[in-house]
Amino acid sequence: MNGILEIKDLRVEYPSRGIGEPVKLALKGLNLSVREGEVFGFLGPNGAGKTTTMNVLLGFVNATSGAAYLFGVDVKEPIARQRIGYLPELTYYYKFLTAEELLRFYARIFGIPRGETERRIDNLLKLVELEHARKRPIKTYSKGMQQRVGLAQALINNPDLLILDEPTSGLDPIGRMKVREIIQRLKNEGKTIFFSSHELGEVETVCDRVGILYQGELKVEGRVSDLIQKYQTNLEQIFLQIIGYAQPVNS
C-alpha cells in the first residue's frame, strides 16, 4: 500500500497571548503516514493537537517547520486538496437549503456537470440514508441527519481521501452506528479515511490502524489488533495508559 498522507517532523507553534507568556507548542515533530485504502483513527484528548494537524493538511494553518504531503504534493499547494473530502466537527450549512440543494451547491464549486451531479446526489443520499428527506430543509434535520448530509457533501467530488473531524460527536447510539456503517461501506469501496474520534469503541471496530497523540507528540501507532495483543487490553485502556490517567480504586 502507498502512503497518500505523509507528515514529516511537523511542528506548529502558536504565538503567546500575552507579554512574557511562552508560545504554545501544538505539535512537536510529528511523523505520520496513512496508506491507501485504510481507515486510520487519530486519537488523543482535547488539546492534544489533532485538529491542528488536520488544519495543516487542509491549508488552514501553516506549520512552523516540517512538512505534510497529500498524494505526494506539499499541502502548501492548493492542488494537493483537490482529491480530498472534509467533514468538520461542527457543520455550518445554510439551514434553509434542502439536502439536494446543498449538494448541488457543492457540486457547482467543484465544476461537476449537471447530469453527473444529479447521479451523484441520488447515490450519496442513498448511501447516507436520506432519500426520504432530500426535499426537507436541513433546519428540520436531527443532529444525526445533519452529520450524514455533511458526509454526503464531503463525498460529492468523489474524493480518494476523507478527513473527518469527530464524525460521531454528539450523536446518539443509533446515529453513531449509522455513521460507522457508512465509514465501513466507504472503506469497502476503496476510500482512504483519516478521522479523529473520542469514541474508542467505534475506532476499535472500524479502524485498521490508529495513532495516539498526547501533548503534541505521537505516543503510539500501529494496527489495532497488534496494539491489543501487545498491551493485553482494549483500546480504551491502552489510551488511558498512554495519557497517564490513573483510574480511581474502588474502596
Side-chain angles (χ1 to χ4, degrees):
M1 292 188 291
N2 300 317
I4 64 172
L5 187 162
E6 298 281 352
I7 296 172
K8 298 181 179 180
D9 299 320
L10 199 66
R11 184 181 179 92
V12 176
E13 298 176 0
Y14 291 119
S16 60
R17 294 183 177 181
I19 297 175
E21 292 186 10
V23 298
K24 179 184 177 183
L25 190 54
L27 292 174
K28 307 172 184 177
L30 177 63
N31 287 280
L32 189 66
S33 176
V34 177
R35 302 161 186 164
E36 184 176 355
E38 75 175 348
V39 179
F40 189 98
F42 197 42
L43 313 178
N46 291 334
K50 304 187 302 298
T51 297
T52 293
T53 302
M54 291 186 171
N55 284 340
V56 170
L57 295 172
L58 295 163
F60 300 154
V61 169
N62 291 323
T64 305
S65 62
Y69 303 89
L70 296 171
F71 309 99
V73 180
D74 195 305
V75 295
K76 294 177 183 178
E77 302 293 332
I79 194 173
R81 291 179 289 278
Q82 287 187 348
R83 295 166 60 189
I84 71 171
Y86 170 58
L87 177 67
E89 179 178 0
L90 300 175
T91 56
Y92 298 98
Y93 300 129
Y94 296 113
K95 299 295 181 70
F96 58 84
L97 294 177
T98 67
E100 289 181 333
E101 291 167 340
L102 178 76
L103 294 178
R104 288 192 189 106
F105 171 74
Y106 279 94
R108 285 198 295 272
I109 291 175
F110 284 103
I112 301 169
R114 182 175 298 178
E116 177 65 15
T117 291
E118 296 307 311
R119 186 187 70 80
R120 291 191 188 186
I121 289 174
D122 288 343
N123 290 339
L124 288 173
L125 291 178
K126 182 177 180 180
L127 172 71
V128 300
E129 300 181 13
L130 287 175
E131 292 172 292
H132 66 286
R134 61 189 298 158
K135 296 186 181 298
R136 278 172 47 191
I138 294 172
K139 65 183 177 183
T140 69
Y141 283 14
S142 67
K143 168 71 172 175
M145 293 170 71
Q146 290 186 27
Q147 202 73 342
R148 283 169 13 232
V149 81
L151 273 171
Q153 72 80 19
L155 290 163
I156 193 66
N157 61 323
N158 192 27
D160 296 307
L161 170 66
L162 271 174
I163 297 177
L164 312 177
D165 194 358
E166 299 286 349
T168 60
S169 176
L171 301 187
D172 62 20
I174 293 176
R176 292 199 301 269
M177 180 188 69
K178 287 184 178 292
V179 171
R180 184 170 66 239
E181 289 173 349
I182 292 167
I183 290 174
Q184 187 62 53
R185 288 200 291 268
L186 293 170
K187 177 186 175 182
N188 293 341
E189 293 176 8
K191 302 291 186 187
T192 305
I193 303 169
F194 178 72
F195 77 99
S196 66
S197 179
H198 287 110
E199 303 292 342
L200 299 182
E202 292 180 357
V203 169
E204 191 171 324
T205 301
V206 303
C207 288
D208 299 300
R209 290 193 303 132
V210 298
I212 299 178
L213 194 68
Y214 183 55
Q215 296 181 341
E217 296 181 289
L218 189 66
K219 298 295 186 181
V220 167
E221 179 189 357
R223 295 188 64 84
V224 175
S225 57
D226 293 341
L227 293 177
I228 290 173
Q229 183 176 10
K230 176 181 177 181
Y231 287 87
Q232 292 295 296
T233 188
N234 61 31
L235 189 59
E236 180 175 303
Q237 292 302 314
I238 296 170
F239 178 86
L240 294 175
Q241 287 182 39
I242 294 301
I243 68 171
Y245 177 76
Q247 294 180 292
V249 178
N250 295 329
S251 58

